[in-house]
Amino acid sequence: LSGVNFKGTDLTGCNFTNANLTNTDFTNATVMNITSTNATTTGSNLSQAITNMSSGYVLSLDGVNDAVDLSSSSWMNTTPFTQTMTVECWFKTADTSNQKLYTTLVSRWATGGIAATSQFRLGMNASGQITSWIGNNSGSSVQLTTTPSYKDGLWHHAAATYSGVTGVLMIYIDGALTTSSTNASFGNLSSSASGIRLIIGSDHAGTTPNSQSDRQFRGSMSDVRIWTAVRSASEIANNYRSRLIGNETSLAGYWKLNQGYGNGWGSYSAVTDSSNNQTYGTIVGAGATPSGSWIVSDINYKPRVSTLTLGSNNGVYSFSDPSFSFIDPSSNSLGDFSYLVSPSTVATVSNGAAT
């Protein structure tokens, strides 16, 4: 593999044990959980060898009838999800004009009104304020709304959390808690939503075969995540700008919405789930070949490099990401090891025997 160009390649989980990686270029490659023990890496370039900073493509929704239909899975109607929930997504309005009255980003919401089969809705009202609705088995609902508006044509991250134990409903915007409410007697989310579809960009009532027309989002979306746990403020703040691996604890669904990348994907109507549940979806409302649904993204994710365990044949690593770290061979390995870190404000090296 000497001199091979891996620029931008997804190498997640690859085993490079004893491989000759001399002068290999890993620039912008995904190197999460790779094994490089005893690999020869002299002159290799690991500059920003990360989960790609740019999402590549994102999903564009027309605000008329576009959406992603993720159907319904058993985990959606049972604990822990009905008791402890987090829903996240990145969104960008197509313009600064008003959105629809009940614009929806991610939801399992049954009707144009309230019903016992309505579970949650993360959305936006006409003036651009982010809303979080929850429903329970008795048909009651609670709504929480942010004060600021976000119909500004810029990328934002929204997260809603709810605990059926405490009744606390929260909305985070761009990693920071924006508003919350406590609804002590509300209880768990509805577990009566069998057949109610999980929808991105609209809701069950606003997608075929139903016809509600006041809830379709007009803009772009990326990186939708659903967790069967209440994510903490620090977990949201530390991870909302980073791409996930897909096997994180309590991650129930993870839709990157970047399938428009590469030859042939422009006409692809499937939406893949990167979590272990593999709840795949289909773009609806965009025709049989939705090439216009995938657009080039200007959203950038935080660099992320997994810990690399290096072997006795190490060379020189060139990198620019401050989150990069590595562990040298165990103290009983043969040979001398030297490290050069410049500038010291960018990275540090820890003694392997003490790691």
mmCIF file with all atom_site columns, all heavy atoms in Angstrom, residues 77-93:
data_model
loop_
_atom_site.group_PDB
_atom_site.id
_atom_site.type_symbol
_atom_site.label_atom_id
_atom_site.label_alt_id
_atom_site.label_comp_id
_atom_site.label_asym_id
_atom_site.label_entity_id
_atom_site.label_seq_id
_atom_site.pdbx_PDB_ins_code
_atom_site.Cartn_x
_atom_site.Cartn_y
_atom_site.Cartn_z
_atom_site.occupancy
_atom_site.B_iso_or_equiv
_atom_site.pdbx_formal_charge
_atom_site.auth_seq_id
_atom_site.auth_comp_id
_atom_site.auth_asym_id
_atom_site.auth_atom_id
_atom_site.pdbx_PDB_model_num
ATOM 1   N N   . ASN A 1 77 ? -42.160 1.976  19.767 1.00 0.00 ? 77 ASN A N   1
ATOM 2   C CA  . ASN A 1 77 ? -43.350 1.908  20.615 1.00 0.00 ? 77 ASN A CA  1
ATOM 3   C C   . ASN A 1 77 ? -43.095 1.301  21.980 1.00 0.00 ? 77 ASN A C   1
ATOM 4   O O   . ASN A 1 77 ? -44.048 1.017  22.714 1.00 0.00 ? 77 ASN A O   1
ATOM 5   C CB  . ASN A 1 77 ? -44.441 1.088  19.902 1.00 0.00 ? 77 ASN A CB  1
ATOM 6   C CG  . ASN A 1 77 ? -44.967 1.789  18.671 1.00 0.00 ? 77 ASN A CG  1
ATOM 7   O OD1 . ASN A 1 77 ? -45.207 2.983  18.697 1.00 0.00 ? 77 ASN A OD1 1
ATOM 8   N ND2 . ASN A 1 77 ? -45.127 1.048  17.584 1.00 0.00 ? 77 ASN A ND2 1
ATOM 9   N N   . THR A 1 78 ? -41.850 1.080  22.323 1.00 0.00 ? 78 THR A N   1
ATOM 10  C CA  . THR A 1 78 ? -41.527 0.415  23.585 1.00 0.00 ? 78 THR A CA  1
ATOM 11  C C   . THR A 1 78 ? -40.495 1.230  24.366 1.00 0.00 ? 78 THR A C   1
ATOM 12  O O   . THR A 1 78 ? -39.833 2.120  23.824 1.00 0.00 ? 78 THR A O   1
ATOM 13  C CB  . THR A 1 78 ? -40.967 -0.993 23.337 1.00 0.00 ? 78 THR A CB  1
ATOM 14  O OG1 . THR A 1 78 ? -39.808 -0.899 22.493 1.00 0.00 ? 78 THR A OG1 1
ATOM 15  C CG2 . THR A 1 78 ? -42.009 -1.868 22.640 1.00 0.00 ? 78 THR A CG2 1
ATOM 16  N N   . THR A 1 79 ? -40.387 0.911  25.646 1.00 0.00 ? 79 THR A N   1
ATOM 17  C CA  . THR A 1 79 ? -39.294 1.486  26.424 1.00 0.00 ? 79 THR A CA  1
ATOM 18  C C   . THR A 1 79 ? -37.999 0.821  25.974 1.00 0.00 ? 79 THR A C   1
ATOM 19  O O   . THR A 1 79 ? -38.020 -0.338 25.534 1.00 0.00 ? 79 THR A O   1
ATOM 20  C CB  . THR A 1 79 ? -39.507 1.236  27.924 1.00 0.00 ? 79 THR A CB  1
ATOM 21  O OG1 . THR A 1 79 ? -39.657 -0.164 28.144 1.00 0.00 ? 79 THR A OG1 1
ATOM 22  C CG2 . THR A 1 79 ? -40.730 1.972  28.432 1.00 0.00 ? 79 THR A CG2 1
ATOM 23  N N   . PRO A 1 80 ? -36.884 1.530  26.016 1.00 0.00 ? 80 PRO A N   1
ATOM 24  C CA  . PRO A 1 80 ? -36.708 2.809  26.698 1.00 0.00 ? 80 PRO A CA  1
ATOM 25  C C   . PRO A 1 80 ? -37.135 4.047  25.890 1.00 0.00 ? 80 PRO A C   1
ATOM 26  O O   . PRO A 1 80 ? -37.210 5.135  26.456 1.00 0.00 ? 80 PRO A O   1
ATOM 27  C CB  . PRO A 1 80 ? -35.203 2.851  26.970 1.00 0.00 ? 80 PRO A CB  1
ATOM 28  C CG  . PRO A 1 80 ? -34.615 2.074  25.832 1.00 0.00 ? 80 PRO A CG  1
ATOM 29  C CD  . PRO A 1 80 ? -35.590 0.962  25.561 1.00 0.00 ? 80 PRO A CD  1
ATOM 30  N N   . PHE A 1 81 ? -37.421 3.915  24.572 1.00 0.00 ? 81 PHE A N   1
ATOM 31  C CA  . PHE A 1 81 ? -37.669 5.127  23.780 1.00 0.00 ? 81 PHE A CA  1
ATOM 32  C C   . PHE A 1 81 ? -38.877 5.904  24.272 1.00 0.00 ? 81 PHE A C   1
ATOM 33  O O   . PHE A 1 81 ? -38.834 7.139  24.340 1.00 0.00 ? 81 PHE A O   1
ATOM 34  C CB  . PHE A 1 81 ? -37.856 4.774  22.307 1.00 0.00 ? 81 PHE A CB  1
ATOM 35  C CG  . PHE A 1 81 ? -38.123 5.987  21.452 1.00 0.00 ? 81 PHE A CG  1
ATOM 36  C CD1 . PHE A 1 81 ? -37.125 6.932  21.232 1.00 0.00 ? 81 PHE A CD1 1
ATOM 37  C CD2 . PHE A 1 81 ? -39.364 6.203  20.875 1.00 0.00 ? 81 PHE A CD2 1
ATOM 38  C CE1 . PHE A 1 81 ? -37.360 8.070  20.465 1.00 0.00 ? 81 PHE A CE1 1
ATOM 39  C CE2 . PHE A 1 81 ? -39.613 7.328  20.109 1.00 0.00 ? 81 PHE A CE2 1
ATOM 40  C CZ  . PHE A 1 81 ? -38.615 8.261  19.900 1.00 0.00 ? 81 PHE A CZ  1
ATOM 41  N N   . THR A 1 82 ? -39.978 5.240  24.613 1.00 0.00 ? 82 THR A N   1
ATOM 42  C CA  . THR A 1 82 ? -41.170 5.978  25.037 1.00 0.00 ? 82 THR A CA  1
ATOM 43  C C   . THR A 1 82 ? -40.977 6.670  26.386 1.00 0.00 ? 82 THR A C   1
ATOM 44  O O   . THR A 1 82 ? -41.746 7.559  26.749 1.00 0.00 ? 82 THR A O   1
ATOM 45  C CB  . THR A 1 82 ? -42.390 5.043  25.119 1.00 0.00 ? 82 THR A CB  1
ATOM 46  O OG1 . THR A 1 82 ? -42.091 3.968  26.014 1.00 0.00 ? 82 THR A OG1 1
ATOM 47  C CG2 . THR A 1 82 ? -42.749 4.497  23.738 1.00 0.00 ? 82 THR A CG2 1
ATOM 48  N N   . GLN A 1 83 ? -39.949 6.282  27.112 1.00 0.00 ? 83 GLN A N   1
ATOM 49  C CA  . GLN A 1 83 ? -39.687 6.888  28.415 1.00 0.00 ? 83 GLN A CA  1
ATOM 50  C C   . GLN A 1 83 ? -38.557 7.914  28.371 1.00 0.00 ? 83 GLN A C   1
ATOM 51  O O   . GLN A 1 83 ? -38.600 8.922  29.080 1.00 0.00 ? 83 GLN A O   1
ATOM 52  C CB  . GLN A 1 83 ? -39.346 5.802  29.436 1.00 0.00 ? 83 GLN A CB  1
ATOM 53  C CG  . GLN A 1 83 ? -39.194 6.311  30.863 1.00 0.00 ? 83 GLN A CG  1
ATOM 54  C CD  . GLN A 1 83 ? -39.042 5.188  31.852 1.00 0.00 ? 83 GLN A CD  1
ATOM 55  O OE1 . GLN A 1 83 ? -37.989 4.557  31.933 1.00 0.00 ? 83 GLN A OE1 1
ATOM 56  N NE2 . GLN A 1 83 ? -40.088 4.909  32.613 1.00 0.00 ? 83 GLN A NE2 1
ATOM 57  N N   . THR A 1 84 ? -37.546 7.662  27.564 1.00 0.00 ? 84 THR A N   1
ATOM 58  C CA  . THR A 1 84 ? -36.394 8.573  27.494 1.00 0.00 ? 84 THR A CA  1
ATOM 59  C C   . THR A 1 84 ? -36.010 8.754  26.028 1.00 0.00 ? 84 THR A C   1
ATOM 60  O O   . THR A 1 84 ? -35.577 7.816  25.374 1.00 0.00 ? 84 THR A O   1
ATOM 61  C CB  . THR A 1 84 ? -35.196 8.014  28.283 1.00 0.00 ? 84 THR A CB  1
ATOM 62  O OG1 . THR A 1 84 ? -34.958 6.658  27.902 1.00 0.00 ? 84 THR A OG1 1
ATOM 63  C CG2 . THR A 1 84 ? -35.449 8.088  29.780 1.00 0.00 ? 84 THR A CG2 1
ATOM 64  N N   . MET A 1 85 ? -36.129 9.968  25.537 1.00 0.00 ? 85 MET A N   1
ATOM 65  C CA  . MET A 1 85 ? -35.986 10.243 24.104 1.00 0.00 ? 85 MET A CA  1
ATOM 66  C C   . MET A 1 85 ? -35.077 11.428 23.854 1.00 0.00 ? 85 MET A C   1
ATOM 67  O O   . MET A 1 85 ? -35.110 12.421 24.578 1.00 0.00 ? 85 MET A O   1
ATOM 68  C CB  . MET A 1 85 ? -37.363 10.545 23.508 1.00 0.00 ? 85 MET A CB  1
ATOM 69  C CG  . MET A 1 85 ? -37.343 11.026 22.065 1.00 0.00 ? 85 MET A CG  1
ATOM 70  S SD  . MET A 1 85 ? -38.820 11.992 21.607 1.00 0.00 ? 85 MET A SD  1
ATOM 71  C CE  . MET A 1 85 ? -38.422 13.609 22.318 1.00 0.00 ? 85 MET A CE  1
ATOM 72  N N   . THR A 1 86 ? -34.275 11.323 22.802 1.00 0.00 ? 86 THR A N   1
ATOM 73  C CA  . THR A 1 86 ? -33.571 12.473 22.237 1.00 0.00 ? 86 THR A CA  1
ATOM 74  C C   . THR A 1 86 ? -33.692 12.391 20.722 1.00 0.00 ? 86 THR A C   1
ATOM 75  O O   . THR A 1 86 ? -33.458 11.330 20.134 1.00 0.00 ? 86 THR A O   1
ATOM 76  C CB  . THR A 1 86 ? -32.084 12.491 22.626 1.00 0.00 ? 86 THR A CB  1
ATOM 77  O OG1 . THR A 1 86 ? -31.961 12.563 24.055 1.00 0.00 ? 86 THR A OG1 1
ATOM 78  C CG2 . THR A 1 86 ? -31.379 13.709 22.010 1.00 0.00 ? 86 THR A CG2 1
ATOM 79  N N   . VAL A 1 87 ? -34.068 13.500 20.095 1.00 0.00 ? 87 VAL A N   1
ATOM 80  C CA  . VAL A 1 87 ? -34.155 13.610 18.638 1.00 0.00 ? 87 VAL A CA  1
ATOM 81  C C   . VAL A 1 87 ? -33.309 14.796 18.208 1.00 0.00 ? 87 VAL A C   1
ATOM 82  O O   . VAL A 1 87 ? -33.444 15.893 18.773 1.00 0.00 ? 87 VAL A O   1
ATOM 83  C CB  . VAL A 1 87 ? -35.612 13.801 18.165 1.00 0.00 ? 87 VAL A CB  1
ATOM 84  C CG1 . VAL A 1 87 ? -35.664 13.945 16.650 1.00 0.00 ? 87 VAL A CG1 1
ATOM 85  C CG2 . VAL A 1 87 ? -36.478 12.640 18.618 1.00 0.00 ? 87 VAL A CG2 1
ATOM 86  N N   . GLU A 1 88 ? -32.430 14.585 17.225 1.00 0.00 ? 88 GLU A N   1
ATOM 87  C CA  . GLU A 1 88 ? -31.532 15.641 16.763 1.00 0.00 ? 88 GLU A CA  1
ATOM 88  C C   . GLU A 1 88 ? -31.551 15.730 15.242 1.00 0.00 ? 88 GLU A C   1
ATOM 89  O O   . GLU A 1 88 ? -31.777 14.736 14.557 1.00 0.00 ? 88 GLU A O   1
ATOM 90  C CB  . GLU A 1 88 ? -30.088 15.358 17.171 1.00 0.00 ? 88 GLU A CB  1
ATOM 91  C CG  . GLU A 1 88 ? -29.812 15.146 18.632 1.00 0.00 ? 88 GLU A CG  1
ATOM 92  C CD  . GLU A 1 88 ? -28.337 14.858 18.863 1.00 0.00 ? 88 GLU A CD  1
ATOM 93  O OE1 . GLU A 1 88 ? -27.503 15.764 18.671 1.00 0.00 ? 88 GLU A OE1 1
ATOM 94  O OE2 . GLU A 1 88 ? -28.012 13.702 19.208 1.00 0.00 ? 88 GLU A OE2 1
ATOM 95  N N   . CYS A 1 89 ? -31.245 16.907 14.729 1.00 0.00 ? 89 CYS A N   1
ATOM 96  C CA  . CYS A 1 89 ? -31.046 17.057 13.289 1.00 0.00 ? 89 CYS A CA  1
ATOM 97  C C   . CYS A 1 89 ? -30.377 18.388 12.993 1.00 0.00 ? 89 CYS A C   1
ATOM 98  O O   . CYS A 1 89 ? -30.402 19.321 13.801 1.00 0.00 ? 89 CYS A O   1
ATOM 99  C CB  . CYS A 1 89 ? -32.372 16.977 12.523 1.00 0.00 ? 89 CYS A CB  1
ATOM 100 S SG  . CYS A 1 89 ? -33.473 18.381 12.784 1.00 0.00 ? 89 CYS A SG  1
ATOM 101 N N   . TRP A 1 90 ? -29.743 18.457 11.838 1.00 0.00 ? 90 TRP A N   1
ATOM 102 C CA  . TRP A 1 90 ? -29.273 19.711 11.270 1.00 0.00 ? 90 TRP A CA  1
ATOM 103 C C   . TRP A 1 90 ? -30.294 20.163 10.226 1.00 0.00 ? 90 TRP A C   1
ATOM 104 O O   . TRP A 1 90 ? -30.831 19.340 9.471  1.00 0.00 ? 90 TRP A O   1
ATOM 105 C CB  . TRP A 1 90 ? -27.909 19.523 10.605 1.00 0.00 ? 90 TRP A CB  1
ATOM 106 C CG  . TRP A 1 90 ? -26.753 19.542 11.558 1.00 0.00 ? 90 TRP A CG  1
ATOM 107 C CD1 . TRP A 1 90 ? -26.207 18.476 12.192 1.00 0.00 ? 90 TRP A CD1 1
ATOM 108 C CD2 . TRP A 1 90 ? -25.998 20.687 11.970 1.00 0.00 ? 90 TRP A CD2 1
ATOM 109 N NE1 . TRP A 1 90 ? -25.153 18.879 12.981 1.00 0.00 ? 90 TRP A NE1 1
ATOM 110 C CE2 . TRP A 1 90 ? -24.999 20.229 12.860 1.00 0.00 ? 90 TRP A CE2 1
ATOM 111 C CE3 . TRP A 1 90 ? -26.060 22.050 11.663 1.00 0.00 ? 90 TRP A CE3 1
ATOM 112 C CZ2 . TRP A 1 90 ? -24.081 21.080 13.461 1.00 0.00 ? 90 TRP A CZ2 1
ATOM 113 C CZ3 . TRP A 1 90 ? -25.142 22.905 12.261 1.00 0.00 ? 90 TRP A CZ3 1
ATOM 114 C CH2 . TRP A 1 90 ? -24.167 22.420 13.148 1.00 0.00 ? 90 TRP A CH2 1
ATOM 115 N N   . PHE A 1 91 ? -30.562 21.467 10.166 1.00 0.00 ? 91 PHE A N   1
ATOM 116 C CA  . PHE A 1 91 ? -31.514 21.991 9.199  1.00 0.00 ? 91 PHE A CA  1
ATOM 117 C C   . PHE A 1 91 ? -31.062 23.372 8.709  1.00 0.00 ? 91 PHE A C   1
ATOM 118 O O   . PHE A 1 91 ? -30.330 24.093 9.390  1.00 0.00 ? 91 PHE A O   1
ATOM 119 C CB  . PHE A 1 91 ? -32.919 22.095 9.805  1.00 0.00 ? 91 PHE A CB  1
ATOM 120 C CG  . PHE A 1 91 ? -33.039 23.170 10.865 1.00 0.00 ? 91 PHE A CG  1
ATOM 121 C CD1 . PHE A 1 91 ? -33.426 24.465 10.540 1.00 0.00 ? 91 PHE A CD1 1
ATOM 122 C CD2 . PHE A 1 91 ? -32.744 22.882 12.194 1.00 0.00 ? 91 PHE A CD2 1
ATOM 123 C CE1 . PHE A 1 91 ? -33.530 25.452 11.518 1.00 0.00 ? 91 PHE A CE1 1
ATOM 124 C CE2 . PHE A 1 91 ? -32.826 23.864 13.176 1.00 0.00 ? 91 PHE A CE2 1
ATOM 125 C CZ  . PHE A 1 91 ? -33.228 25.156 12.831 1.00 0.00 ? 91 PHE A CZ  1
ATOM 126 N N   . LYS A 1 92 ? -31.511 23.714 7.529  1.00 0.00 ? 92 LYS A N   1
ATOM 127 C CA  . LYS A 1 92 ? -31.229 25.021 6.938  1.00 0.00 ? 92 LYS A CA  1
ATOM 128 C C   . LYS A 1 92 ? -32.421 25.412 6.084  1.00 0.00 ? 92 LYS A C   1
ATOM 129 O O   . LYS A 1 92 ? -32.765 24.705 5.128  1.00 0.00 ? 92 LYS A O   1
ATOM 130 C CB  . LYS A 1 92 ? -29.958 24.958 6.082  1.00 0.00 ? 92 LYS A CB  1
ATOM 131 C CG  . LYS A 1 92 ? -29.633 26.233 5.313  1.00 0.00 ? 92 LYS A CG  1
ATOM 132 C CD  . LYS A 1 92 ? -28.408 26.011 4.438  1.00 0.00 ? 92 LYS A CD  1
ATOM 133 C CE  . LYS A 1 92 ? -28.095 27.221 3.582  1.00 0.00 ? 92 LYS A CE  1
ATOM 134 N NZ  . LYS A 1 92 ? -26.923 26.988 2.706  1.00 0.00 ? 92 LYS A NZ  1
ATOM 135 N N   . THR A 1 93 ? -33.102 26.500 6.432  1.00 0.00 ? 93 THR A N   1
ATOM 136 C CA  . THR A 1 93 ? -34.246 26.925 5.635  1.00 0.00 ? 93 THR A CA  1
ATOM 137 C C   . THR A 1 93 ? -33.777 27.390 4.259  1.00 0.00 ? 93 THR A C   1
ATOM 138 O O   . THR A 1 93 ? -32.681 27.933 4.113  1.00 0.00 ? 93 THR A O   1
ATOM 139 C CB  . THR A 1 93 ? -35.022 28.060 6.318  1.00 0.00 ? 93 THR A CB  1
ATOM 140 O OG1 . THR A 1 93 ? -34.147 29.179 6.536  1.00 0.00 ? 93 THR A OG1 1
ATOM 141 C CG2 . THR A 1 93 ? -35.598 27.591 7.660  1.00 0.00 ? 93 THR A CG2 1
#
